[in-house]
Amino acid sequence: MGFVAETGSGHVLLMDGAPDAAKPENGGQNLAARPMETVLAGTGGCTAYDVVLILKRGRHRVERCSVKLTSERAEKDPKVFTKIHMHFTVAGKAIPASAVERAIALSHETYCSASIMLAKTAEITTSFDLIET
């Protein structure tokens, strides 16, 4: 159950399934991220990219940005995401909290294709911490 995906930009992404104790032949070997984990990770990367770009375009001095995603999925197939929470940590010099809040909102309402797509099945919430450096 291990897979290698080649992206449109020519990069390689490894994926694997979880081991299945009841039927080992149907499970993975836990050697890489699960496919749905990559969907969530890609969404985090997409929105973090937007947030940093929006802040930099506003001439804010961003030094770091990270986002931690937690999620819930449907119990029955298809096990789509039903809830996603994104917690951003933005560090920089003299960045107003209102600018971070606006950047996150713009990402989720206008720019981040991944989160806008996932919002069709999942309730997406956000929060953030702002660290002065």
Side-chain angles (χ1 to χ4, degrees), residues 20-127:
D20 185 337
K23 288 194 167 194
E25 67 276 11
N26 290 342
Q29 297 181 33
N30 198 31
L31 297 175
R34 313 288 184 268
M36 289 299 283
E37 288 176 331
T38 65
V39 170
L40 208 56
T43 301
C46 182
T47 191
Y49 182 93
D50 288 342
V51 168
V52 170
L53 188 60
I54 291 164
L55 289 170
K56 284 188 172 190
R57 284 184 176 164
R59 303 205 192 302
H60 298 290
R61 296 169 62 187
V62 179
E63 293 182 7
R64 289 185 315 279
C65 177
S66 64
V67 60
K68 179 180 179 180
L69 280 70
T70 53
S71 65
E72 293 180 21
R73 292 177 63 188
E75 290 186 24
K76 296 180 182 177
D77 289 327
K79 294 178 183 168
V80 297
F81 291 107
T82 56
K83 291 184 180 183
I84 299 170
H85 182 73
M86 301 181 179
H87 182 77
F88 294 81
T89 302
V90 178
K93 296 190 185 313
I95 302 172
S98 60
V100 175
E101 190 171 5
R102 178 179 174 275
I104 292 169
L106 281 170
S107 175
H108 291 282
E109 294 166 9
T110 306
Y111 297 112
C112 181
S113 303
S115 64
I116 291 168
M117 179 177 58
L118 287 176
K120 304 289 185 196
T121 64
E123 172 192 351
I124 299 178
T125 57
T126 62
S127 60

Side-chain angles (χ1 to χ4, degrees), residues 6-24:
E6 183 176 341
T7 66
S9 58
H11 298 281
V12 173
L13 178 66
L14 302 176
M15 294 175 279
D16 196 6
D20 185 337
K23 288 194 167 194

